[in-house]
Amino acid sequence: MNSKFRVTLLGTGVPIPRPDRFGPSTLIEAGNHTVLIDAGRGATMRLFQLGIPIGQIDALLLTHFHSDHTVGIPDLWLTGWLNSYFGNRRRPFNVIGPVGTRTLMYHLEAAYSRDIEIRVEDEKLARENVAISVKEFTEDGVVYQAGELTVIAFTVDHGDAIKPAFGYRIEYQGRAVVISGDTRYNANVLRYGEHADLLIHEVAMARPELLGEAAIQRIVNHHTSPQEAGRVFAQTKPKLAAYTHLVMLASETIKPPTTDELIAATRETYAGPLQVGEDLMSFEIGETIAVRQN
Ligand SMILES: [Zn+2]
Ligand SMILES: [Zn+2]
């Protein structure tokens, strides 16, 4: 029995095209199963850095439709199809997400239809391995199951206009990892975050002098402040709390908050174990949680 249960942050960023924080994407390895939560910018490059063939991904699960969480999909889908050590998918591309996933994938297929025709004819790539299999869901519940791996989707609150929006609870051999998705402080994260070994939460922060701007207010209102995330961690008491999707707001004249400031703000409401995520940081979920920076 393979008891490996590892989570790796492929991208901890947001729409800002920073080379050190790629778009949101989280890799889950549980036994022989490999799934990805969201596919932001650069997800394939991070997989390559880890030596994981793109074609090895069993399923891609989407939290919501903001482009920073989905722009990596065509790369994952089409590069994963290529007949080489970094690709090599031998089955359809499996995507699971809220209603709207089918439309997104249908149009991607249309957009890349010429490339697909060309490669089928020229490279003799198998058409069945570029086919897309979509499963949509509408409500909280189990959305993926493979062996002892279970993935449960739960509704979160990313703002009134940004629906649907989901988080995920991933269970494997009695251990659990919860990913908040993009959300404001939300009771459902508390409910599904109960008894989680690792709770990975999004966070947004801006310096006080920036908070007066309407555009900044709007962004902050779609996310969770460090003090609120601290409350989530204090109430759910995971073995380890970690941040990803760091919305550190800035302007041309005002610098983004630092990691130290993010930690200090979280400490106003939470005193337990805390890790600020970095790209390629991994968490080995065992009796304790081992953190490694790849
Ligand atoms: Zn979002
Ligand atoms: Zn986002």
Side-chain angles (χ1 to χ4, degrees):
M1 189 168 67
N2 188 341
S3 65
K4 174 177 78 176
F5 190 23
R6 182 166 52 211
V7 175
T8 306
L9 305 175
L10 300 184
T12 57
V14 290
I16 307 166
R18 287 172 56 154
D20 56 338
R21 289 195 187 275
F22 280 1
S25 187
T26 305
L27 174 73
I28 314 286
E29 296 168 277
N32 304 319
H33 311 289
T34 310
V35 304
L36 213 56
I37 311 287
D38 287 334
R41 182 188 303 118
T44 54
M45 284 189 268
R46 295 299 189 218
L47 288 171
F48 186 75
Q49 285 178 292
L50 293 169
I52 297 174
I54 305 163
Q56 194 179 306
I57 303 296
D58 296 309
L60 167 67
L61 293 113
L62 301 178
T63 58
H64 67 300
F65 297 111
H66 265 150
S67 59
D68 51 318
H69 296 249
T70 63
V71 288
I73 294 178
D75 195 9
L76 199 70
W77 166 47
L78 294 165
T79 310
W81 180 40
L82 300 183
N83 197 3
S84 184
Y85 66 98
F86 55 81
N88 265 338
R89 191 178 52 251
R90 302 271 190 246
R91 57 202 154 145
F93 184 61
N94 191 13
V95 188
I96 299 160
V99 173
T101 301
R102 197 176 304 283
T103 303
L104 173 65
M105 297 312 299
Y106 175 83
H107 288 285
L108 282 178
E109 209 164 24
Y112 286 97
S113 59
R114 193 64 198 121
D115 176 54
I116 292 168
E117 297 302 329
I118 288 167
R119 290 187 193 275
V120 166
E121 189 187 332
D122 177 51
E123 298 173 40
K124 314 297 178 211
L125 293 184
R127 195 178 284 275
E128 59 266 30
N129 298 336
V130 78
I132 298 172
S133 157
V134 176
K135 257 189 235 142
E136 287 186 338
F137 56 83
T138 53
E139 55 188 29
D140 296 14
V142 174
V143 294
Y144 183 76
Q145 190 137 37
E148 294 176 89
L149 172 66
T150 302
V151 183
I152 299 158
F154 59 91
T155 312
V156 292
D157 176 12
H158 194 15
D160 295 338
I162 313 170
K163 291 171 194 263
F166 283 86
Y168 288 107
R169 179 182 172 98
I170 300 114
E171 298 180 339
Y172 185 67
Q173 295 185 347
R175 292 160 283 167
V177 173
V178 170
I179 298 176
S180 71
D182 282 20
T183 186
R184 308 196 268 215
Y185 178 85
N186 183 243
N188 230 11
V189 181
L190 298 177
R191 190 171 310 133
Y192 285 89
E194 236 179 272
H195 306 299
D197 293 270
L198 173 66
L199 201 162
I200 302 174
H201 210 291
E202 70 117 85
V203 69
M205 189 177 181
R207 293 180 187 282
E209 54 268 41
L210 207 57
L211 282 172
E213 293 181 23
I216 297 290
Q217 262 308 328
R218 184 179 46 76
I219 296 171
V220 163
N221 284 338
H222 290 157
H223 297 284
T224 303
S225 72
Q227 291 84 355
E228 290 168 331
R231 280 167 57 206
V232 173
F233 299 148
Q235 284 166 69
T236 50
K237 299 185 184 63
K239 281 185 190 159
L240 179 65
Y243 280 133
T244 190
H245 195 280
L246 282 85
V247 187
M248 297 291 108
L249 294 161
S251 72
E252 276 174 26
T253 52
I254 300 170
K255 284 193 166 23
T258 63
T259 300
D260 286 345
E261 287 168 321
L262 171 62
I263 293 171
T266 310
R267 289 301 180 210
E268 291 175 27
T269 54
Y270 173 64
L274 175 68
Q275 194 76 49
V276 176
E278 300 281 345
D279 284 21
L280 293 175
M281 180 180 282
S282 69
F283 306 91
E284 202 86 45
I285 324 290
E287 268 310 299
T288 57
I289 297 177
V291 181
R292 196 176 70 179
Q293 184 61 52
N294 289 288

